Amino acid sequence: MTKALIVGGGIAGLTAALRLHALGIDVEVFEAAAEIRELGVGINLQPNAVKELTNLGLAERLAAIGVPMQELAYYNRHGQQIWTEPRGLKAGYLWPQFGINRGRFQGLLLQAVRERLDDDRVHQSHYFDRLTQDGSGVTAEFLDARGGKPVGSYHGDILIGADGIHSAVRRFYYPEEAQPRFAGQIMWRGVTDAESFLDGRTMFMAGHRAQKVVFYPMSGEALARGKAEINFVAEDTVDPDKPMPREEWNRACAADEVAPRFDNWAYDWCDVPGIIREAKQIYIFPKVDRDPIPQWTFGRVTMIGDAAHAMHPAGSSGASQAIVDVRALAISFVTEADPVRALSLYEKLRLEEVYSLVALNRNKMGPEWVMVMAEERTPDGFKHIHDVIAAEELQKIADDYKRAAGFYPTDVNALDVRVDVDPR
């Protein structure tokens, strides 16, 4: 039986553990944190990711903790609508798009891993230090993340680096690589229990390149009180030559640090600054990504998720792309019996495709480019958006991004008998 060592117990690593286990591969997961806790705010799972999670038998669990999105809408900073389109099941997908709490989702995955692989296959406080490989397999050495002492050496047939944007596995192969590339913007991410906006199932973005917000509902205890748990991301431009030190990432901050920046963004359909001010929690992050590297796969070792291709959070596709990586791994192991050839095929399936998306998110803000166009052409607003941007142009931007990110409806709905469960 093939054995896989997975470095990282986040979304990418846990999803990979479930998928490889389903293929009959022996799996062990190694997480640097002393405890895998349900932390974080919101993410969106696109239908292509939900399809993969459904293949893993997690559809009902996802539906219990997520809000199925029905609409996506873009607005200028004045609150005027630029573009709206149906999403998820309403758009004809066979799977929904979920707004979901990242921490609860990670907890769902961890519970499934422990149920299917047993608790002793998940090792916490194991920080990856180094590896060696030869014809017999790969051996990884780990340190105690709290004290730096060796905690074990583990042998497998392959190793998958799923340890995020600051990946130690990536650094092992690229020790001189620069820090993540700072975009000159800060993101404040928060959660508020509030009256919902629009139809209660809409994700909206408002603003432009220099300043924007992203709002969408998630499920949670607030729903039982007649409110919605609203996830928000508020972005503003700062000095691009002063990136935030890593130790400041994920720092909690007060609402007064961010809400005044959006005081003029109180719309009759959503009180943006009001929701920010009532946040239960707000965390601060720099907007960063990483430049492409020439290869992810080194014999018996490869990388997935942010370890391979950290990208700007445009188009709500970052977490989903990690799950699509796992799909590509599954296809590769079904296609190639030899694990080394399977990892090589995985890279061929994903590297160029996903780096095109990284560039699109960095340079054109993904589908959010329509907000940039509106701001550049009519900074004071418009009477009708089609006087500013043709309907066909808006539709093309939306469709082109879906194709680039791998969630164009007909492509997602197509059945691959090698790895898919037919929902019909």
Side-chain angles (χ1 to χ4, degrees), residues 64-67 104 193 218-225 227-229:
I65 65 171
V67 172
R104 294 191 195 108
D193 290 350
M218 306 183 297
S219 65
E221 295 179 359
L223 292 177
R225 301 193 299 272
K227 293 188 176 182
E229 188 178 42

Side-chain angles (χ1 to χ4, degrees), residues 17-31:
L18 291 170
R19 195 60 145 121
L20 296 181
H21 171 76
L23 293 176
I25 294 173
D26 185 19
V27 178
E28 288 192 74
V29 179
F30 303 86
E31 167 57 39

Side-chain angles (χ1 to χ4, degrees), residues 18 45 209 228 250 306 378 386:
L18 291 170
L45 294 175
R209 183 192 289 276
N250 202 28
D306 281 351
T378 56
H386 294 159

Side-chain angles (χ1 to χ4, degrees), residues 153-188:
S153 176
Y154 299 81
H155 186 79
D157 296 290
I158 60 170
L159 182 144
I160 297 171
D163 48 341
I165 191 169
H166 297 293
S167 169
V169 175
R170 178 170 173 142
R171 189 165 59 252
F172 180 82
Y173 286 103
Y174 296 93
E176 303 301 320
E177 186 180 20
Q179 292 298 307
R181 183 180 180 273
F182 181 49
Q185 292 180 311
I186 297 296
M187 301 186 298
W188 291 269

Side-chain angles (χ1 to χ4, degrees), residues 200-342:
R201 293 291 185 271
T202 291
M203 174 182 187
F204 83 82
M205 304 182 193
H208 47 86
R209 183 192 289 276
Q211 189 179 26
K212 74 171 187 179
V213 295
V214 182
F215 276 51
Y216 55 86
M218 306 183 297
S219 65
E221 295 179 359
L223 292 177
R225 301 193 299 272
K227 293 188 176 182
E229 188 178 42
I230 305 297
N231 178 82
F232 68 82
V233 183
E235 295 182 14
D236 204 359
T237 300
V238 296
D239 187 343
D241 296 324
K242 294 182 179 180
M244 182 184 298
R246 181 176 172 183
E247 57 269 19
E248 286 285 293
W249 291 32
N250 202 28
R251 171 176 63 84
C253 71
D256 286 345
E257 184 174 332
V258 53
R261 298 168 182 264
F262 297 90
D263 274 346
N264 295 328
W265 297 41
Y267 312 130
D268 57 4
W269 49 271
C270 182
D271 181 4
V272 168
I275 290 177
I276 293 173
R277 284 194 170 87
E278 295 299 317
K280 296 183 291 185
Q281 56 195 30
I282 301 177
Y283 299 99
I284 183 171
F285 298 86
K287 188 174 183 178
V288 295
D289 63 2
R290 280 200 179 275
D291 290 329
I293 49 178
Q295 67 185 91
W296 304 338
T297 301
F298 300 83
R300 296 178 178 273
V301 180
T302 197
M303 292 170 261
I304 64 173
D306 281 351
H309 48 71
M311 64 183 69
H312 287 173
S316 305
S317 58
S320 295
Q321 291 303 311
I323 296 170
V324 175
D325 286 348
V326 174
R327 174 185 177 82
L329 276 174
I331 291 171
S332 299
F333 276 94
V334 169
T335 304
E336 293 284 0
D338 178 75
V340 175
R341 289 199 298 268

